[in-house]
Amino acid sequence: MEIFNANPDFPKKTQTFPGVFSSLEKIAGFVCSVAADLGFDSSAVYSIETAVDEACSNIIEHAYGGEGRGMIEITCIIEEDQLKIIIHDTGQPFDLDRVPEPDFSTSLEDRPAHGLGIYIMRKWMDEVCFEFTANSGNYLTLVKKRIKR
Amino acid sequence: MEINHTSYKRCDVLSVKGRVDSATAPQLSDELNRLMENGRYRLVLDLANATFLSSAGLRTLLNTQKNCKRHNRGELVLASVPANILAALELSGFVPIFRIFDDVLSAVGNI
């Protein structure tokens, strides 16, 4: 089944990690290494690291409902003008669209502590797309475009 | 992540080295809570050697600031914030609620 229109001609790298918080540093090492090799600058690499970290933390916390309950598969597809990262899990669907944007106009005491991760992910990535399939689980696609020099 | 603690007469400095993410934010939270439980509410978080701060870390900072500022008993200030982490703080609307100093010395002198 081809649900992401991923061109098979584009090089891709896939790694699978246990769904535990201690995997986050290793996941960061994987995606940052791919992004840096593609020539993304420090700021762009950091934004990719953040988006992937937030996505994987959400998977562990919400899709799997805790640590050690499933795996996280990360595929980096190196396309001509962008890096596409597909994050796959087999937990419960977690629809990012249902998370409201944080309200920054509130006072310190009323400032909500949740919702920031998904907000940052959306702001720092060029595309964020969530898909759920009944047979194989959840797929989150993050896209960061390369700035042409 | 490693945390070093230095206690001064007026304030406490926590220096963080490495990543603050969902795996490590609870450790930072525990350190900050331990200080507040001991009545220490003037806190400096030195981020010079922090390489990453996720929303889990942002939540820790926010909850600490709420606790410190309650009853005007103190505040959490940030020092030596790397550019990428500063960008995350700006995006998250944190800049108006934390004083940010260029270095620990300025932070300790002004808290």
Side-chain angles (χ1 to χ4, degrees):
Chain A
M1 184 174 57
E2 183 57 76
I3 59 173
F4 301 109
N5 303 317
N7 186 328
D9 293 337
F10 288 124
K12 59 170 92 168
K13 295 180 180 179
T14 299
Q15 285 193 19
T16 304
F17 303 87
V20 292
F21 291 129
S22 59
S23 292
L24 293 173
E25 187 166 2
K26 300 179 188 81
I27 290 169
F30 171 52
V31 295
C32 289
S33 155
V34 172
D37 285 350
L38 290 176
F40 282 102
D41 65 16
S42 156
S43 165
V45 171
Y46 189 84
S47 64
I48 292 165
E49 177 180 6
T50 301
V52 171
D53 183 279
E54 299 296 348
C56 294
S57 297
N58 266 307
I59 288 169
I60 297 165
E61 193 174 338
H62 299 293
Y64 285 131
E67 293 187 273
R69 298 180 185 178
M71 304 297 283
I72 300 173
E73 181 191 74
I74 300 182
T75 302
C76 297
I77 303 172
I78 299 148
E79 300 187 349
E80 205 169 308
D81 58 347
Q82 61 188 20
L83 172 61
K84 183 182 279 182
I85 300 170
I86 299 171
I87 305 175
H88 172 225
D89 70 84
T90 55
Q92 294 296 310
F94 181 71
D95 188 354
L96 302 179
D97 291 335
R98 288 172 53 195
V99 179
E101 279 200 4
D103 180 359
F104 297 139
S105 66
T106 55
S107 68
L108 170 65
E109 204 53 43
D110 294 330
R111 187 73 67 95
H114 286 270
L116 280 173
I118 290 160
Y119 174 76
I120 295 171
M121 187 197 303
R122 287 195 184 286
K123 288 289 182 187
W124 274 355
M125 291 293 103
D126 293 299
E127 292 174 32
V128 176
C129 174
F130 176 79
E131 294 185 58
F132 165 72
T133 63
N135 294 331
S136 55
N138 306 309
Y139 293 86
L140 179 70
T141 304
L142 305 172
V143 171
K144 187 72 175 173
K145 294 190 184 298
R146 287 203 246 194
I147 297 169
K148 291 194 172 68
R149 292 171 194 277
Chain B
M1 182 191 69
E2 289 173 31
I3 302 173
N4 278 310
H5 173 216
T6 311
S7 194
Y8 295 96
K9 190 175 179 184
R10 270 180 56 81
C11 68
D12 291 80
V13 178
L14 289 183
S15 299
V16 171
K17 184 178 178 186
R19 286 171 53 88
V20 184
D21 58 18
S22 293
T24 57
Q27 186 192 341
L28 177 60
S29 197
D30 287 349
E31 284 289 322
L32 290 162
N33 287 336
R34 187 179 56 79
L35 288 169
M36 292 186 287
E37 281 161 13
N38 288 321
R40 305 289 289 177
Y41 295 103
R42 292 180 186 279
L43 307 174
V44 176
L45 189 65
D46 168 20
L47 293 171
N49 294 308
T51 54
F52 180 76
L53 184 74
S54 76
S55 66
L58 293 173
R59 275 196 296 278
T60 297
L61 301 192
L62 186 64
N63 290 331
T64 303
Q65 188 68 304
K66 284 180 182 180
N67 198 349
C68 282
K69 286 209 164 180
R70 210 163 285 151
H71 313 304
N72 287 322
R73 58 194 173 188
E75 72 174 309
L76 170 65
V77 302
L78 310 178
S80 306
V81 182
N84 288 331
I85 293 178
L86 183 60
L89 294 170
E90 286 171 344
L91 183 61
S92 306
F94 274 39
V95 170
I97 53 181
F98 290 91
R99 288 200 291 159
I100 298 173
F101 294 92
D102 289 343
D103 51 58
V104 172
L105 197 62
S106 316
V108 169
N110 285 282
I111 194 170

